[in-house]
Amino acid sequence: GKRMKGVQIFRPFVYGTTAKPFDDKTNPKPPGVPDDHTHSWTVFVKGLDDVDITYWLRRVQFKLHESIPNHVRMIEGEKGKPFLLHETGWGEFEIAIKLYYVPESSEKPQTLYHHLRLHPYGRTDEEKETMRLNGAQVISWAYEEQIFNEPYEPFYDILTSG
Ligand code: SLL
């Protein structure tokens, strides 16, 4: 195949974690969740404003802390849906997020790292209590742009026909 010389395609996406402490009112602990788990949380990769990204991103591997059963998880793309994982736990750690592109791209997988944040650092105790009472989530999201350098022609067509 031929590459598109001098062409760069950018595709924005968002990734990160959202966490919420368990509490009886707004986030009750589901049955079966271990006693020492304090939070529910999610990690995700998705398009900006939830636009579909499965035409360039095929699957995402999330590598969680080894203390978590089955800590390497592969999420297959579903059109229009985020690549998303729900978990519960007690501690923060670094998540390795490996992006697998569609085969037409001929791109090698690429890994991002993201720190799972459970606690609202830098707040006063009063602010934390207010957050807790409001059932507030701890959000740690990042914006990123995927760059495709000199894509192959068929992949260029896929990227630009959306
Ligand atoms: C810490 N270095 O000590 C970190 C490790 C590990 C968190 C945090 C286990 C969940 C499960 C869990 O939350 N591990 O057992 O499913 O803070």
Side-chain angles (χ1 to χ4, degrees), residues 16-20 44 114-115 117-120 123 131 136-142:
T17 55
T18 304
K20 211 168 183 297
F44 69 87
H114 187 77
H115 190 80
R117 215 153 77 82
L118 300 182
H119 306 290
R123 315 273 179 143
M131 282 185 75
Q137 298 179 319
V138 176
I139 287 172
S140 177
W141 296 2

Side-chain angles (χ1 to χ4, degrees), residues 15-84:
Y15 66 98
T17 55
T18 304
K20 211 168 183 297
F22 286 122
D23 75 88
D24 292 339
K25 276 208 189 100
T26 67
N27 192 26
K29 196 186 270 198
V33 172
D35 281 348
D36 61 346
H37 287 198
T38 53
H39 289 73
S40 59
W41 54 267
T42 63
V43 58
F44 69 87
V45 176
K46 65 179 190 173
L48 191 62
D49 299 324
D50 292 309
V51 298
D52 180 61
I53 56 173
T54 59
Y55 65 94
W56 61 264
L57 189 60
R58 182 178 215 182
R59 57 172 74 96
V60 176
Q61 185 200 69
F62 297 99
K63 196 181 262 179
L64 311 176
H65 192 266
E66 285 167 25
S67 63
I68 297 172
N70 197 4
H71 74 287
V72 182
R73 313 279 179 87
M74 189 69 95
I75 304 294
E76 299 289 331
E78 279 184 73
K79 198 171 175 6
K81 293 208 182 129
F83 296 83
L84 179 71

